[in-house]
Amino acid sequence: MKQKRFILSEKELPTRWYNIQAEMKNKPMALLHPGTKQPLKPEDLFPIFAEECSRQELNQTDAWIDIPEEVLDKYKSYRSTPLVRAYDLEKALGTPAHIYFKNESVNPLGSHKVNSALPQCYYCKQEGLTNVTTETGAGQWGAALAYAAKVFGLECAVYQVKISMQQKPYRSMIMRTFGATVEGSPSMSTRAGKSLITQDPSYSGSLGSAISEAIELATTTPGCKYTLGSVLSHVTLHQTIIGLEAEKQMEMAGEYPDVVIACFGGGSNFGGLAFPFMRHNLLEGKQTQFIAAEPESCPKLTRGEFRYDFGDESGYTPLLPMYTLGHNFHPANIHAGGLRYHGAGTIVSQLIKDKLMEGVDIPQTEAFKAAMLFAQTEGIIPAPESSHAIASAIREARKAKESGEEKVILFNLSGHGLIDMTAYDSYINGDLGDYQVSDDEIRRNLQDVPVV
Amino acid sequence: MKQKRFILSEKELPTRWYNIQAEMKNKPMALLHPGTKQPLKPEDLFPIFAEECSRQELNQTDAWIDIPEEVLDKYKSYRSTPLVRAYDLEKALGTPAHIYFKNESVNPLGSHKVNSALPQCYYCKQEGLTNVTTETGAGQWGAALAYAAKVFGLECAVYQVKISMQQKPYRSMIMRTFGATVEGSPSMSTRAGKSLITQDPSYSGSLGSAISEAIELATTTPGCKYTLGSVLSHVTLHQTIIGLEAEKQMEMAGEYPDVVIACFGGGSNFGGLAFPFMRHNLLEGKQTQFIAAEPESCPKLTRGEFRYDFGDESGYTPLLPMYTLGHNFHPANIHAGGLRYHGAGTIVSQLIKDKLMEGVDIPQTEAFKAAMLFAQTEGIIPAPESSHAIASAIREARKAKESGEEKVILFNLSGHGLIDMTAYDSYINGDLGDYQVSDDEIRRNLQDVPVV
């Protein structure tokens, strides 16, 4: 019998994160101060983020950053995650492709998010802070932060996008089990939330609106910092533990990926898996293809514009050079709550611009169809977000079948879908639909983007 | 940093199950035919179970049974499960004890149940059957069977205890995602169900009632066999993969358990972990202590009687020699649905009778208090069932603290609690209570047990 799962021993775990910014030929453009429109220095970010995270965010020099001992120790509770060869999925597809997935769903919090929650909370604690706050969509980031905050003895307050809170009530219960307080966003507890509710009392929120509320809480509360689950470069940096492990594990399997795929919300699980492999494209001329799978209903990579835009809906964040649908874009209520975000991280945006990777957009029902096939072959019910990566991997495996190529496909199973069962129920009952975005809607929202 | 997780490579996985019956000095007493009251032969079980399972059930000769290649191949998708040293829990308790847990919660179905679902479906398929059916309480067994049936190309129908279906709606959605049909029990689709509903229209079901319905379906449907998730000896046999792995993993950790603990419903996760270690007590005079943790509200091990009784509520099963509260006992609606069963498996019953192991009973709120501490230290939200094992392990760790002993405690984390978040929500809101059973209620129910 052939080996299915590849796992690293604790001694083999990576001890450094990989900072791709340092090795990109065209670096991401500078973040700009929203008031002065001047390039940001780390100090400008200190009021919002932990100081070490602020420095990491703008670090374009050091390719390798040491993982603190205390964080490594916590990583060891659940890492390495398995690299799995999906033999049964391959068989069902009748493809000659070799399909591998990195299974980030088996960690205690059920998604990759904890990889960055732990260092962010660690740095906050080190810097003498007492509280952290954040936004969350589907709740995977909120749950991870709630746990990490408990680990390092911090209080934690989470703003969860209202529609996700309703779709996935168990996630807020998970956060409360770890001791966090959770509020639906937009809420009446912040200026930003009140203003959004006044404009549209029925608005069910987005990541952009929840970010505004959390930043407002952080900047108005002593001892409290804001933390983010994706988009920013320091978050993606922490997630490179995924790809660094996968690199060693693919070596154990005796293969190297021709295609690397991950779903795409802000970019952290994508970059986390992809960047350590992309390094070999940048430095050694490898020709691996990189695909970021976004939802058809929130198509910033495939149909957005590369512009300076805010990271949040109320314009509290720095201006980020990114592919965006406009910070006022309200994504449809798809079940992949973690992908309902208007913009892409600055690194990925630069890479797309330089054609070093590509985006694809996946309709919701195609994602669920792929998820059902994956569940019934590999026995794991994937998160709706991760299902976009599966759908994209299946597209590639079908292409390989047509061309007869033994392509090696690697994708990230960023999380499980056990908290998303109502979405599966809707799909099985035929109640799920797709949501196309009109050119008009994109144009209209891009008009609100500030001109720099 | 000390090693936290111990994982076996695929090559190191056990290839045989351990059948403790063959090495017990006092064998379990014979199963009796419910009509003739004569000892059963394997053929008598063929109308209900797969033939190979029937033979395994009554096998008191062979200590080791080969795991079929096809089952081993499926085990490799998720095994070995990690053995974890719970350093953070130890620290929180301030105990000198070394606490280890076998983490069966990280397999794709979220509990140990899949370990037996796979071979049961495999044998059914081998024997040319087309359908399987079963009962399920919390739904962990039903989900595992639904997946295993899909793997081996069988149709699957599940009767889920009504109260559990209401408490944990996601579990029936999981079963449907794997292609199974699910009905609440008691249902109107069987004679047994109709009779129970007639007696008490508000009855929310128990494992005993759901078993009756599934057996009725199996015995009246050509090509369909019944499968069981616990209680019976062949189920426990399959679960010994847990303890056989744990034995090797404890060796990797350089320790041997002084106490082995698991929660107790019918006995399969308990026996699965315990029996490979108990072997060394039986054969080599080791003095390891074995504790089965049952709910205070369903105390068959601590307050039941050793009697011949039916395994189900309607009296369809053979008569089993077991500790029982009477097959008509209706357990309180605690959230640990998998522990709401009136009897204990025949092997464990004999071992208790011979004082080779012991039972403890845990109040529901103590189990949830233990679960919260475990979640907040180890980052894993445990199943309400498994929380009984955690509570018992914590009691032992506290005793070790008082006596200053460096006791080695090993318990089974049989499943995660992500589908049980409403139970945690109730606990956090102070809405959960305890349920004591009166001596009178036990006496009354034992009057219905047939005299053999």
Side-chain angles (χ1 to χ4, degrees):
Chain A
M1 273 182 291
K2 291 163 289 185
Q3 191 171 347
K4 277 189 185 175
R5 296 201 310 162
F6 303 88
I7 294 172
L8 304 177
S9 70
E10 288 186 13
K11 283 193 297 283
E12 293 168 308
L13 289 187
T15 57
R16 300 181 303 175
W17 294 304
Y18 174 57
N19 177 20
I20 195 172
Q21 294 194 76
E23 298 187 325
M24 287 165 71
K25 216 172 95 189
N26 299 328
K27 311 277 184 212
M29 289 157 57
L31 278 55
L32 303 183
H33 190 285
T36 65
K37 312 260 163 88
Q38 290 304 303
L40 284 187
K41 291 193 268 315
E43 306 83 88
D44 297 321
L45 293 172
F46 290 178
I48 303 180
F49 298 107
E51 298 184 4
E52 182 57 24
C53 291
S54 304
R55 280 187 287 268
Q56 290 175 354
E57 183 62 28
L58 303 181
N59 185 335
Q60 299 195 328
T61 325
D62 305 310
W64 299 97
I65 312 269
D66 285 338
I67 304 174
E69 186 93 341
E70 291 82 350
V71 173
L72 252 187
D73 185 59
K74 294 298 161 193
Y75 277 176
K76 288 186 180 173
S77 315
Y78 63 97
R79 306 206 70 87
S80 72
T81 61
L83 176 80
V84 186
R85 172 86 183 265
Y87 285 110
D88 292 320
L89 177 62
E90 289 172 18
K91 202 172 140 195
L93 294 169
T95 179
H98 296 189
I99 306 177
Y100 292 85
F101 62 93
K102 180 72 169 158
N103 189 358
E104 288 292 308
S105 81
V106 293
N107 80 53
L109 284 307
S111 87
H112 68 294
K113 294 290 185 185
V114 67
N115 299 331
S116 183
L118 286 167
Q120 290 193 52
C121 286
Y122 168 75
Y123 291 128
C124 284
K125 186 68 182 181
Q126 282 297 99
E127 293 168 20
L129 300 166
T130 53
N131 291 57
V132 287
T133 182
T134 198
E135 84 297 334
T136 195
Q140 293 181 327
W141 169 245
L145 191 74
Y147 162 66
K150 176 58 74 176
V151 163
F152 290 111
L154 299 162
E155 295 297 314
C156 177
V158 180
Y159 292 92
Q160 182 171 20
V161 178
K162 260 187 198 162
I163 176 70
S164 292
M165 203 175 196
Q166 288 155 9
Q167 286 172 337
K168 303 162 213 256
Y170 283 21
R171 276 263 166 61
S172 45
M173 298 177 193
I174 293 175
M175 295 180 234
R176 280 195 289 268
T177 297
F178 288 118
T181 59
V182 190
E183 220 173 334
S185 171
S187 79
M188 293 299 280
S189 70
T190 64
R191 208 156 41 87
K194 272 184 263 192
S195 148
L196 287 163
I197 291 173
T198 310
Q199 281 166 46
D200 176 2
S202 72
Y203 180 38
S204 54
S206 73
L207 284 170
S209 67
I211 292 173
S212 300
E213 295 206 80
I215 292 185
E216 187 178 323
L217 181 73
T219 51
T220 57
T221 310
C224 178
K225 286 287 169 78
Y226 171 68
T227 65
L228 190 67
S230 189
V231 183
L232 291 179
S233 304
H234 69 277
V235 183
T236 308
L237 172 75
H238 304 153
Q239 294 295 352
T240 58
I241 186 83
I242 302 172
L244 293 165
E245 283 182 5
E247 216 187 326
K248 294 190 184 195
Q249 290 166 312
M250 288 298 304
E251 234 177 271
M252 288 167 75
E255 304 217 72
Y256 191 86
D258 298 308
V259 193
V260 173
I261 300 170
C263 67
F264 196 91
S268 82
N269 107 79
F270 173 82
L273 177 65
F275 291 169
F277 290 99
M278 200 177 282
R279 179 163 189 261
H280 302 290
N281 279 24
L282 297 180
L283 303 186
E284 301 151 23
K286 284 251 190 208
Q287 297 289 321
T288 298
Q289 186 189 358
F290 296 93
I291 302 176
E294 64 183 5
E296 181 190 39
S297 55
C298 195
K300 63 244 181 185
L301 299 179
T302 51
R303 297 173 61 200
E305 267 185 30
F306 184 83
R307 297 273 293 272
Y308 268 103
D309 196 4
F310 293 112
D312 69 324
E313 201 156 338
S314 303
Y316 288 172
T317 70
L319 285 160
L320 308 167
M322 62 182 183
Y323 278 88
T324 178
L325 296 163
H327 61 278
N328 284 333
F329 179 79
H330 285 187
N333 290 340
I334 58 166
H335 283 274
L339 308 186
R340 296 176 68 250
Y341 184 69
H342 67 277
T346 62
I347 299 175
V348 162
S349 293
Q350 187 64 43
L351 293 169
I352 291 256
K353 197 156 166 265
D354 291 342
K355 300 199 189 326
L356 295 168
M357 57 170 283
E358 65 200 276
V360 293
D361 62 321
I362 307 280
Q364 174 163 254
T365 53
E366 182 182 342
F368 273 93
K369 193 176 174 190
M372 292 287 289
L373 179 63
F374 184 75
Q376 296 194 355
T377 50
E378 297 297 323
I380 305 171
I381 298 180
E385 290 83 0
S386 319
S387 304
H388 291 72
I390 299 172
S392 171
I394 289 176
R395 284 186 187 179
E396 294 303 311
R398 292 220 162 100
K399 279 188 220 162
K401 186 180 179 180
E402 279 165 32
S403 65
E405 281 173 289
E406 264 199 18
K407 270 211 173 162
V408 178
I409 299 168
L410 166 65
F411 72 87
N412 201 19
L413 183 72
S414 54
H416 66 63
L418 293 176
I419 306 299
D420 305 275
M421 290 316 301
T422 53
Y424 281 87
D425 211 42
S426 299
Y427 177 76
I428 291 168
N429 295 335
D431 295 338
L432 275 200
D434 292 323
Y435 302 88
Q436 282 94 26
V437 184
S438 71
D439 290 339
D440 233 39
E441 191 182 342
I442 295 178
R443 206 175 316 121
R444 208 170 47 244
N445 277 293
L446 283 172
Q447 282 168 5
D448 299 334
V449 175
V451 177
V452 177
Chain B
M1 272 182 290
K2 291 163 290 183
Q3 191 170 347
K4 276 189 187 178
R5 295 201 312 160
F6 303 89
I7 294 173
L8 304 176
S9 72
E10 288 186 12
K11 282 193 298 284
E12 293 169 307
L13 289 188
T15 58
R16 300 182 301 175
W17 294 303
Y18 173 59
N19 177 20
I20 195 172
Q21 293 194 76
E23 298 187 325
M24 286 165 70
K25 215 171 93 188
N26 299 329
K27 312 278 184 210
M29 288 156 61
L31 276 56
L32 303 183
H33 190 285
T36 65
K37 312 259 163 91
Q38 291 303 302
L40 284 186
K41 292 193 268 316
E43 305 84 88
D44 298 320
L45 293 172
F46 289 178
I48 303 180
F49 298 108
E51 298 184 5
E52 181 57 25
C53 292
S54 304
R55 280 187 287 269
Q56 289 174 355
E57 183 62 27
L58 302 181
N59 185 335
Q60 299 195 330
T61 325
D62 305 310
W64 299 97
I65 311 271
D66 284 338
I67 303 174
E69 187 94 341
E70 292 82 349
V71 173
L72 252 187
D73 186 59
K74 293 299 160 192
Y75 277 176
K76 288 186 179 173
S77 314
Y78 64 95
R79 307 206 69 87
S80 73
T81 60
L83 175 81
V84 187
R85 172 87 184 265
Y87 284 111
D88 291 321
L89 177 61
E90 290 172 17
K91 201 173 141 195
L93 294 170
T95 179
H98 296 188
I99 305 177
Y100 291 86
F101 62 94
K102 180 72 169 158
N103 189 358
E104 288 292 307
S105 82
V106 293
N107 80 53
L109 283 309
S111 86
H112 69 293
K113 294 289 186 186
V114 68
N115 300 330
S116 183
L118 286 166
Q120 290 194 53
C121 286
Y122 168 75
Y123 291 128
C124 284
K125 187 68 182 180
Q126 281 299 99
E127 294 170 18
L129 301 166
T130 53
N131 292 58
V132 287
T133 182
T134 198
E135 84 296 334
T136 196
Q140 291 181 328
W141 168 246
L145 190 74
Y147 162 68
K150 177 59 75 179
V151 163
F152 290 111
L154 299 162
E155 295 298 314
C156 177
V158 179
Y159 292 93
Q160 182 171 21
V161 177
K162 259 185 200 163
I163 176 70
S164 292
M165 204 175 196
Q166 289 155 9
Q167 284 172 338
K168 302 161 213 259
Y170 283 20
R171 277 262 166 63
S172 45
M173 298 177 193
I174 292 175
M175 295 180 233
R176 280 195 289 270
T177 298
F178 288 118
T181 59
V182 190
E183 220 173 333
S185 172
S187 80
M188 293 300 278
S189 70
T190 65
R191 208 156 42 86
K194 271 184 265 194
S195 147
L196 287 163
I197 290 173
T198 310
Q199 281 166 44
D200 177 2
S202 72
Y203 180 37
S204 53
S206 73
L207 283 171
S209 66
I211 292 174
S212 300
E213 296 207 80
I215 291 185
E216 187 178 323
L217 181 73
T219 52
T220 56
T221 310
C224 179
K225 288 284 169 79
Y226 170 68
T227 63
L228 191 67
S230 190
V231 183
L232 291 178
S233 303
H234 69 277
V235 183
T236 308
L237 172 75
H238 305 153
Q239 294 295 353
T240 58
I241 187 82
I242 302 172
L244 292 166
E245 282 181 6
E247 217 187 325
K248 294 189 184 195
Q249 291 166 312
M250 288 299 303
E251 235 177 86
M252 288 166 75
E255 305 218 68
Y256 191 87
D258 298 307
V259 193
V260 174
I261 300 169
C263 68
F264 197 90
S268 84
N269 107 78
F270 173 82
L273 176 67
F275 292 170
F277 290 99
M278 200 178 283
R279 181 165 187 260
H280 302 291
N281 279 24
L282 297 180
L283 303 185
E284 300 153 22
K286 284 251 191 211
Q287 297 289 321
T288 298
Q289 185 190 0
F290 296 93
I291 302 176
E294 64 183 6
E296 180 191 39
S297 55
C298 195
K300 62 242 181 188
L301 298 179
T302 50
R303 296 174 61 202
E305 268 186 28
F306 185 82
R307 297 275 292 272
Y308 268 102
D309 196 4
F310 293 112
D312 69 323
E313 200 155 339
S314 302
Y316 288 172
T317 70
L319 285 161
L320 308 167
M322 61 182 184
Y323 278 88
T324 179
L325 296 164
H327 61 279
N328 285 333
F329 180 78
H330 286 188
N333 291 340
I334 57 165
H335 283 273
L339 307 187
R340 296 177 69 250
Y341 185 68
H342 67 277
T346 62
I347 301 176
V348 162
S349 293
Q350 188 63 44
L351 293 168
I352 292 256
K353 198 157 163 266
D354 292 342
K355 301 201 188 325
L356 294 168
M357 56 169 284
E358 66 201 273
V360 294
D361 62 321
I362 307 280
Q364 175 163 258
T365 52
E366 181 181 343
F368 273 94
K369 193 176 175 192
M372 292 288 290
L373 179 63
F374 184 75
Q376 297 193 355
T377 49
E378 297 296 322
I380 304 172
I381 297 180
E385 290 83 0
S386 319
S387 305
H388 290 71
I390 299 172
S392 171
I394 289 175
R395 285 186 187 178
E396 295 303 311
R398 291 218 162 102
K399 279 188 220 163
K401 186 180 179 180
E402 277 165 34
S403 66
E405 282 172 289
E406 265 199 20
K407 269 211 172 162
V408 178
I409 299 168
L410 167 64
F411 73 87
N412 201 19
L413 184 72
S414 53
H416 65 64
L418 293 177
I419 306 300
D420 306 275
M421 291 315 302
T422 52
Y424 281 88
D425 212 41
S426 299
Y427 177 75
I428 291 168
N429 295 335
D431 295 338
L432 276 200
D434 292 323
Y435 302 88
Q436 281 95 24
V437 184
S438 71
D439 291 338
D440 233 38
E441 191 181 344
I442 295 178
R443 207 176 313 121
R444 209 168 47 243
N445 277 292
L446 284 172
Q447 282 167 6
D448 300 334
V449 174
V451 178
V452 177

